[in-house]
Amino acid sequence: MKVGVNGYGTIGKRVADAILKNPRFQLVGIVKYNPDYSSKIAFKKGINIYVPQDKWRDFESTGITPKGTIQEFLEESSIIIDASPNGKGAANLSLYKGAGKPAIFQGGEKPEVAELSYSTYCNYDEAFGRKYLRVVSCNTTGILRVLCALHREFNVKRARVLVIRRGADPKEDARGPINSIKLESFEDVSHHGKDAMLVLPSVKIISQAVVVPTTLMHVQYLDIDVASPVTRSQVIEALSKHARILLVNPKKTGIDSTSKLIEAARDFLRSRNDIYENIVFENTIIVSDNNISLIQAIHQESIVVPENMDALYAIANIRLPFEKVVEETDRLLGVGGLKDVF
């Protein structure tokens, strides 16, 4: 199955690398619109680069020989993963429809861009037969992994979430805030809970968010009600079943911050110090009757990569059980490997 990636930014470059690791898929190439440093790196790696016709000479002048135009990219690809900047995916949808090609969009797009908002642990089976999927955002993915893991075991009824968002990705030097903690929006709730309920409609999810001056990771506080009383050990056991949810004990590991998590990923030689897993701080798990609360860290640059790969299986109609797909994706990406460190 030939897969093309439209965009080669934070998500696109990671998804492209993930496709290269999976023998079920062939990376046709990527679409780039400007011959910047990332274009040169991709070209040096041997990745085919497709460009707008009117930008062809710009690329050639920097030593990059394009493989073809965007129209040729569409013709060559069986499935498109759209990793273009927020809002651009909606404009690209007409291109994909015109070419008759299915596509996977990212959470920066409005839900209306796709037939289904998607998160593997929650609605993998619903993704089959769809032509357009939207993998929800990094924060929403982090929220849903925990909620759906617990929902399978304990029947989650309600969740309140406080999202403490990073101010920018490491390379985004034009963003902020610089010296402030800022409300993410003027709405009474943030979009994360609304998006999560598109995927998990049986659970009432209310979220609020603030933005803080850091670039490393998000942090979330989750307060969850389940149908019946549970114990702390039951909650830990339920979360520990999933490789994409990693419990970290700060007392045993000394890891009590996002900076130490990133340093551990670097030392573990994770590519780009990526952390695909939800990092749940074990000491923050508090259980009282049917209420569960916890704090987790989410690496915004990489957490949705496994879900994009899972979505490929569904949209390509590769009929494997949910557990097999997750296991295969996790193995190829090394998800869960940090458990040896923590």
Side-chain angles (χ1 to χ4, degrees), residues 41-72:
I41 291 172
F43 185 65
K44 292 287 188 182
K45 290 170 67 173
I47 295 174
N48 294 329
I49 299 177
Y50 295 82
V51 304
Q53 183 65 59
D54 61 354
K55 295 291 185 73
W56 191 285
R57 289 186 178 180
D58 293 343
F59 279 84
E60 284 191 324
S61 68
T62 63
I64 297 171
T65 304
K67 176 69 174 178
T69 63
I70 293 177
Q71 185 58 43
E72 290 170 311

Side-chain angles (χ1 to χ4, degrees), residues 116-133:
L116 182 74
S117 289
Y118 171 84
S119 186
T120 300
Y121 282 9
C122 305
N123 61 349
Y124 175 75
D125 290 338
E126 293 179 47
F128 282 95
R130 311 282 183 159
K131 198 162 187 177
Y132 302 106
L133 296 177

Side-chain angles (χ1 to χ4, degrees), residues 100-254:
K101 300 301 170 76
I104 298 167
F105 297 91
Q106 306 308 309
E109 304 301 321
K110 299 293 185 184
E112 294 76 23
V113 77
E115 299 165 273
L116 182 74
S117 289
Y118 171 84
S119 186
T120 300
Y121 282 9
C122 305
N123 61 349
Y124 175 75
D125 290 338
E126 293 179 47
F128 282 95
R130 311 282 183 159
K131 198 162 187 177
Y132 302 106
L133 296 177
R134 169 183 174 254
V135 174
V136 293
S137 72
C138 48
N139 266 310
T140 308
T141 294
I143 293 166
L144 284 169
R145 280 186 187 170
V146 165
L147 291 185
C148 289
L150 295 176
H151 191 56
R152 289 168 179 262
E153 305 281 342
F154 310 123
N155 189 10
V156 173
K157 293 297 186 183
R158 182 199 68 96
R160 290 188 65 90
V161 182
L162 173 62
V163 176
I164 304 167
R165 292 191 58 232
R166 59 91 181 99
D169 285 346
K171 71 173 183 177
E172 296 174 334
D173 50 14
R175 293 183 62 177
I178 302 300
N179 186 27
S180 181
I181 298 175
K182 180 182 177 183
L183 290 175
E184 185 185 47
S185 74
F186 298 130
E187 304 296 326
D188 54 349
V189 296
S190 71
H191 72 86
H192 309 97
K194 296 176 183 177
D195 273 358
M197 284 192 290
L198 293 175
V199 179
L200 192 60
S202 64
V203 178
K204 177 68 174 177
I205 306 169
I206 298 173
S207 64
Q208 293 174 314
V210 296
V211 188
V212 298
T214 181
T215 64
L216 299 179
M217 300 179 77
H218 304 303
V219 170
Q220 301 174 348
Y221 172 76
L222 279 67
D223 184 83
I224 305 160
D225 288 340
V226 295
S228 303
V230 294
T231 66
R232 188 172 186 270
S233 61
Q234 287 176 316
V235 171
I236 289 173
E237 181 182 358
L239 296 177
S240 299
K241 290 179 180 179
H242 303 278
R244 296 181 193 177
I245 301 173
L246 184 54
L247 274 61
V248 173
N249 187 322
K251 288 184 179 179
K252 292 181 179 179
T253 63

Side-chain angles (χ1 to χ4, degrees), residues 17-18 21 243-246 265 268-271 274-277 305-306 309 326-342:
D17 284 352
K21 293 178 180 179
R244 296 181 193 177
I245 301 173
L246 184 54
F268 195 65
L269 302 183
R270 276 277 178 92
S271 175
D274 286 343
I275 302 176
Y276 305 110
E277 303 88 346
V305 174
M309 294 306 298
V326 170
E327 177 187 332
E328 197 165 283
T329 296
D330 289 354
R331 176 176 52 80
L332 291 171
L333 293 178
V335 175
L338 285 173
K339 189 174 291 186
D340 296 336
V341 179
F342 300 151

